[in-house]
Amino acid sequence: MAEHTSSSITIEAAPADVMGVIADFARYPEWTGEVKEAEVLSEDAAGRAEEVRLLLDAGAIRDDHTLAYTWTGDHEVSWTLVKSQMLRGLDGSYTLTPLTSGTRTEVTYQLTVDVKIPMLGMIKRKAEKVIIDRALAGLKKRVESTTKS
């Protein structure tokens, strides 16, 4: 299996609030920066997204791809690539760990990207790290701004 990159951040909100933002794909363009469109293609019996089409514009990298999501309880979601123009593989996950009476959450984001064009492993890991750090910062800002009254 390919190497992965991961990072964590603490968010001042309950895990349910954090997962609510993660699961709200329609609003991804409002807080992720790189995601310009998100369309849920199918849902599971619980109403959670199973397949999502994402239009990504990260400057030099533009891609229209579809991801399949797997929800494990209320504290983990993982995804894998179904189809893409630029990627051979895209596997990732968010794992939420409640902290201090459930009012804070540690979010760990793990990501493995395999591009169709040749790329040095070191450069790929750095790109994964940038994607993860931006996503976690955006998630933290979005969750904390929506949970404060």
Side-chain angles (χ1 to χ4, degrees):
M1 180 164 182
E3 292 181 38
H4 68 270
T5 302
S6 68
S7 190
S8 299
I9 197 168
T10 300
I11 297 178
E12 301 295 325
D17 294 327
V18 176
M19 191 58 83
V21 171
I22 291 170
D24 189 0
F25 292 99
R27 296 195 168 212
Y28 271 39
E30 296 175 17
W31 63 270
T32 61
E34 290 86 10
V35 176
K36 301 305 176 192
E37 291 179 29
E39 176 188 7
V40 175
L41 302 175
S42 65
E43 296 179 339
D44 65 14
R48 296 180 294 195
E50 280 186 320
E51 278 198 3
V52 179
R53 184 187 70 81
L54 299 163
L55 179 61
L56 180 75
D57 186 352
I61 299 176
R62 293 177 55 98
D63 194 28
D64 189 343
H65 58 264
T66 301
L67 301 176
Y69 286 81
T70 303
W71 304 84
T72 307
D74 295 328
H75 291 106
E76 184 175 345
V77 61
S78 59
W79 56 90
T80 189
L81 185 68
V82 175
K83 68 179 179 177
S84 168
Q85 297 169 344
M86 295 189 67
L87 303 173
R88 242 194 310 255
L90 177 66
D91 298 313
S93 66
Y94 281 113
T95 303
L96 311 184
T97 305
L99 305 171
T100 53
S101 309
T103 59
R104 296 170 70 223
T105 305
E106 181 183 63
V107 180
T108 301
Y109 183 172
Q110 181 174 298
L111 185 66
T112 303
V113 178
D114 188 11
V115 292
K116 290 181 179 177
I117 57 172
M119 185 180 286
L120 290 173
M122 182 178 68
I123 295 171
K124 191 167 66 163
R125 294 283 95 66
K126 185 170 182 154
E128 289 172 351
K129 180 78 171 132
V130 168
I131 291 167
I132 289 171
D133 289 348
R134 283 186 186 164
L136 287 174
L139 178 63
K140 178 179 176 72
K141 183 177 179 183
R142 179 68 176 200
V143 171
E144 291 179 355
S145 71
T146 59
T147 58
K148 292 182 180 170
S149 303

